[in-house]
Structures are given as structure tokens and as C-alpha cells.
Amino acid sequence: MHFISQELEDYIEQHSENEPALLAKLNKETYQKILLPRMLSGHFQGRVLSMLSKLIRPVNILEIGTYTGYAALCLCEGMQETGQLHTIDIKEELIDFQRKYFDASPWGNQIFQHLGEAVDIIPNLDVKFDLVFIDADKENYLNYWEMIVPKMNKGGIILSDNVLWSGKILEPVHPNDVSTKVLLEYNQLLKDDPRVETVLLPIRDGLTVSRVL
């Protein structure tokens, strides 16, 4: 996942906005108690998500893949006062952990948790979205994309995480490596899809920004 030196990553964090205290606490507790803490968006990417949300000023946000709720809270920072964030995850054991931090934030009443498979939940969300963050199982990225684009408002932004997949997208693909195969197809789809304009940013493990036309 790390494409630049740790020293340079540290410098970047030091010269970006500070991590809010609540998120620093969430970050620390995730590393202490939760499996696979590297899945956390973290300080720098979190500030990127916050800045993008503040620029977009979304009313309705969708997040696919909640984990411990770090990215959701970052996205809420730019949400309009009447806004809502819907976040989907399959891990029931994380629901209470997420809710604790959601309720400790200013947006607790505006964050709606959905437990289950996103491919089953998304079609039942009767909402048009201004901002979507896809950060879940890579095997379903293509399915998520086709479900989400029709639910976007014009000018809405879709963010796709992990699209560089620790550099595996440049390596020979193992026959059993479904995730890398899907991501290669996904990255090409976003480049070619006439419904959006896309730029792939080399932030952390790769973050694609797609604007719905």
C-alpha cells in the first residue's frame, strides 16, 4: 500500500490539516481492538475525504464499507445541515463500535447504519446521492458502480478506494486473484464510461474521483 517512503508520508501528514480529536481517538481504539486496522482511512486520506466533502457540500452521502466509521465521519464534515449519510457494512460485531463514535460526533442523528450485503441494500435506498464512497469488497466493485450511477444527482461525485491495490494492478495476475482482475476491469470502465469524468489519484492505495455528467 505504501508507494512513498514513511518519512515522506509523515511530512505530508505534518503539513496537512490536523486530525480531529475524536478521529484520533477512533484511530487509536481501532488499532487496539479491531482486526485489520490498516483498513482504516487514517489521518491523511481522512483529511482528503473531508476536503472533498466540504467542496461538494453534499446533502445525501452513501458509504459502502463502514469498517469502524472513520471515513464516514470525515465525509460528514462537509455535509449540509439537512443532510444524511447512509453507510453499509456486513460486520454485525462493528455496529456498536461505529455507533459509539457516530453518537459522539455532531452528526449522530444524521448517520444511518445498514447491516447486510450492499448489493441487496442499495436497490432499496430511495435516495439520490451527491457523494458516494466505495470502500468494500473489490469483487463487487463493478456491481456497486452499475447500481450507484443511476442513483446519483447530476454533478455528484463517486469516490472509489483501493484502486491501485498495493500495486498489483501492474503485476501479472494470478488466475485465482479475482479482486485484481475486477479492479483492472473497474479502472478501465471508469475511464471509458461516458456517464462520468474520472481522475485516478495516487493517494494511499489509490483513490478515483468520478464526476457524474
Side-chain angles (χ1 to χ4, degrees), residues 169-187:
I169 42 84
L170 294 180
E171 300 171 356
V173 181
H174 189 278
N176 296 327
D177 187 353
V178 177
S179 294
T180 302
K181 290 179 182 177
V182 170
L183 282 172
L184 285 166
E185 186 177 348
Y186 183 78
N187 290 340

Side-chain angles (χ1 to χ4, degrees), residues 63-118:
E63 178 187 45
I64 305 174
T66 316
Y67 191 46
T68 55
Y70 191 102
L73 291 173
C74 294
L75 296 170
C76 282
E77 292 179 28
M79 183 171 62
Q80 294 190 30
E81 290 184 6
T82 58
Q84 296 181 347
L85 181 142
H86 294 266
T87 185
I88 305 170
D89 206 283
I90 60 171
K91 294 183 179 178
E92 185 175 2
E93 66 272 18
L94 293 179
I95 290 289
D96 291 341
F97 186 102
Q98 299 159 6
R99 180 46 62 184
K100 177 177 70 172
Y101 282 95
F102 292 161
D103 287 345
S105 80
W107 310 285
N109 293 332
Q110 297 165 268
I111 300 175
F112 298 89
Q113 295 162 285
H114 301 270
L115 178 64
E117 297 286 347

Side-chain angles (χ1 to χ4, degrees), residues 6-212:
Q6 187 62 54
E7 291 80 9
L8 194 52
E9 286 193 5
D10 291 343
Y11 183 88
I12 290 168
E13 285 194 5
Q14 292 162 9
H15 292 81
S16 298
E17 283 296 309
N18 293 333
E19 184 179 39
L22 180 64
L23 291 178
K25 183 179 178 182
L26 192 165
N27 193 333
K28 183 177 181 180
E29 189 172 359
T30 298
Y31 272 85
Q32 289 174 336
K33 299 180 179 179
I34 309 298
L35 292 173
L36 302 175
R38 71 192 293 269
M39 291 173 58
L40 196 80
S41 289
H43 177 186
F44 173 59
Q45 186 176 17
R47 290 307 85 205
V48 172
L49 295 176
S50 170
M51 181 68 77
L52 289 171
S53 184
K54 288 170 182 174
L55 291 170
I56 298 162
R57 296 292 292 145
V59 175
N60 292 313
I61 305 172
L62 172 64
E63 178 187 45
I64 305 174
T66 316
Y67 191 46
T68 55
Y70 191 102
L73 291 173
C74 294
L75 296 170
C76 282
E77 292 179 28
M79 183 171 62
Q80 294 190 30
E81 290 184 6
T82 58
Q84 296 181 347
L85 181 142
H86 294 266
T87 185
I88 305 170
D89 206 283
I90 60 171
K91 294 183 179 178
E92 185 175 2
E93 66 272 18
L94 293 179
I95 290 289
D96 291 341
F97 186 102
Q98 299 159 6
R99 180 46 62 184
K100 177 177 70 172
Y101 282 95
F102 292 161
D103 287 345
S105 80
W107 310 285
N109 293 332
Q110 297 165 268
I111 300 175
F112 298 89
Q113 295 162 285
H114 301 270
L115 178 64
E117 297 286 347
V119 290
D120 298 324
I121 293 169
I122 295 170
N124 295 314
L125 295 175
D126 188 20
V127 183
K128 295 286 277 188
F129 294 102
D130 306 296
L131 176 60
V132 173
F133 183 42
I134 305 174
D135 186 18
D137 55 313
K138 311 314 162 193
E139 293 89 344
N140 269 311
Y141 265 37
L142 293 165
N143 295 325
Y144 297 149
W145 180 260
E146 295 302 341
M147 289 179 172
I148 287 167
V149 173
K151 288 182 173 289
M152 298 297 297
N153 285 318
K154 185 177 180 180
I157 300 293
I158 303 171
L159 305 173
S160 307
D161 200 18
N162 304 118
V163 290
L164 294 180
W165 207 222
S166 299
K168 291 182 182 178
I169 42 84
L170 294 180
E171 300 171 356
V173 181
H174 189 278
N176 296 327
D177 187 353
V178 177
S179 294
T180 302
K181 290 179 182 177
V182 170
L183 282 172
L184 285 166
E185 186 177 348
Y186 183 78
N187 290 340
Q188 192 61 49
L189 170 64
L190 271 56
K191 173 65 168 63
D192 296 337
D193 195 326
R195 299 172 294 179
V196 299
E197 55 182 352
T198 288
V199 60
L200 198 165
L201 304 175
I203 293 173
R204 205 160 175 252
D205 195 26
L207 180 70
T208 298
V209 181
S210 302
R211 177 178 174 270
V212 178

